[in-house]
Amino acid sequence: MGRLMKAIVVATDFSERSDRAIRRAKLLAREHDAKLHLVHVVDDDQTQSLVLAERNASTELLEKLTLSLQEIDSVKCDFHVVLGKPFFGINQAARDLQADLVVIGPHRRQLLRDILVGTSAERTIRTADRPVLMANGFPAGLYSRAIAASDLSIYSETTIRKAKSLGLLDRLNTSLLYVFSDPGLALMNRASLSDDEKQTYIAEARNRAEKEVESFMDRIKLDGISTILQPSNGSIAETICKTTQDLSAELIVVGTCSRSAFTRALIGSVTEGVLRHSDRDVLAIPPPQNEAVP
């Protein structure tokens, strides 16, 4: 298979979080023989003297970092300092550079602030028109196992195909994870049912889910992907994160659009939950532009 990813944008604010993103982006750039573009956004909503000072300082740091990546890590690399809001500047740079992938560090876990305004990481993903990889884990090496979370919708099909088209799932042990739910599963715990009756109900729900997954896999016709079914015991996002941990997968692939576009509150409640709670890398893929939702 030929080279599929040609350009990767990695956002840096020179923090430890963004250093994690750079290390992951470096590994991907070397694996796919892609060019790495370091991007730092200077907030232009401050005095001109501060903007100029920060731009000069960041340019100096980026020059050193770029030289190190080129000479020590043998990565094709350049850098860009842009003015604006972080999430807007990152995505605009990605469009201008025709990047195939944007890599960012994990968000700051400040609950009250997150609830009120959302993090720059989440805003970057929400407004992105191309795949964004949130580098939550510590990059010790190439990915070996991935979990593609699916709700079996047309958007989910697009998500998996996009990840495959970038070559991100090549050579990986990839499993499609479907977390199935049934209104009766929640009510069952309140009912006076025997353990055997509960197990029978769960088995019937799983059987229905298996048929739905089989139909989905027949439709997408992608080889090399196994399937995993898990009952939802509360939060679907938590089930996805726990399953990923249990299987020692390093990457979760999710779409930013749910089965029904009208149910999307932020970037999809399940995707939002995965982004906020996963300690593994998360690849968030938006729907195609002609299918994007408001």
Side-chain angles (χ1 to χ4, degrees):
M1 183 177 292
R3 180 163 62 105
L4 303 178
M5 270 199 300
K6 297 181 180 180
I8 300 173
V9 158
V10 56
T12 177
D13 59 5
F14 308 111
S15 67
E16 182 180 349
R17 293 178 300 106
S18 60
D19 179 60
R20 201 177 304 180
I22 291 172
R23 283 186 286 166
R24 174 53 66 189
K26 176 182 68 177
L27 289 171
L28 290 171
R30 292 175 63 177
E31 179 184 11
H32 296 274
D33 192 26
K35 184 171 183 177
L36 194 59
H37 300 278
L38 301 174
V39 173
H40 175 73
V41 181
V42 175
D43 189 349
D44 58 359
D45 187 18
Q46 52 187 336
T47 64
Q48 186 175 3
S49 59
L50 287 175
V51 171
L52 181 61
E54 184 175 343
R55 185 174 63 182
N56 291 339
S58 59
T59 297
E60 183 176 349
L61 289 171
L62 287 169
E63 285 177 341
K64 295 178 180 178
L65 182 55
T66 298
L67 187 62
S68 173
L69 288 166
Q70 290 173 337
E71 296 187 350
I72 298 177
D73 298 296
S74 301
V75 173
K76 293 176 290 185
C77 183
D78 63 15
F79 71 88
H80 308 266
V81 178
V82 298
L83 305 182
K85 295 296 181 185
F87 60 93
F88 177 80
I90 293 166
N91 284 325
Q92 185 59 54
R95 284 189 288 271
D96 293 343
L97 294 166
Q98 298 183 0
D100 301 295
L101 178 70
V102 176
V103 184
I104 60 177
H107 66 73
R108 296 185 179 91
R109 301 180 188 275
Q110 298 171 337
L111 182 58
L112 181 59
R113 179 177 180 273
D114 291 354
I115 291 174
L116 292 176
V117 299
T119 65
S120 291
E122 287 173 331
R123 288 183 172 189
T124 299
I125 293 171
R126 187 186 355 175
T127 57
D129 59 359
R130 63 205 63 225
V132 179
L133 176 67
M134 180 183 283
N136 293 319
F138 292 95
L142 300 178
Y143 296 129
S144 61
R145 180 151 199 183
I147 297 295
S150 173
D151 64 1
L152 310 184
S153 68
I154 185 65
Y155 297 110
S156 179
E157 178 181 345
T158 301
T159 295
I160 297 172
R161 290 190 183 282
K162 183 62 177 179
K164 289 279 287 184
S165 73
L166 289 173
L168 286 170
L169 303 183
D170 291 351
R171 299 179 298 281
L172 299 190
N173 181 348
T174 303
S175 298
L176 179 138
L177 171 62
Y178 177 49
V179 181
F180 64 94
S181 60
D182 187 297
L185 293 176
L187 297 174
M188 185 177 59
N189 293 325
R190 305 177 190 174
S192 300
L193 300 177
S194 66
D195 289 342
D196 287 344
E197 288 173 324
K198 290 180 180 180
Q199 291 302 317
T200 298
Y201 189 94
I202 292 175
E204 291 174 348
R206 178 179 290 275
N207 185 56
R208 290 192 294 270
E210 286 176 349
K211 291 179 180 179
E212 292 177 6
V213 170
E214 184 178 351
S215 176
F216 179 81
M217 296 302 289
D218 286 343
R219 189 170 77 240
I220 65 174
K221 291 180 170 57
L222 292 177
D223 297 328
I225 298 179
S226 60
T227 59
I228 300 173
L229 278 74
Q230 292 282 19
S232 174
N233 295 315
S235 166
I236 293 178
E238 289 178 2
T239 302
I240 293 170
C241 292
K242 184 178 185 307
T243 302
T244 303
Q245 291 175 333
D246 291 344
L247 296 175
S248 299
E250 306 96 345
L251 178 66
I252 303 175
V253 180
V254 292
T256 61
C257 190
S258 62
R259 181 185 294 272
S260 170
F262 298 104
T263 66
R264 191 178 74 165
L266 176 61
I267 47 178
S269 59
V270 172
T271 298
E272 178 190 359
V274 171
L275 288 168
R276 286 176 178 247
H277 300 296
S278 177
D279 61 354
R280 310 302 165 97
D281 289 7
V282 180
L283 176 65
I285 298 180
Q289 288 301 287
N290 59 352
E291 296 180 22
V293 295

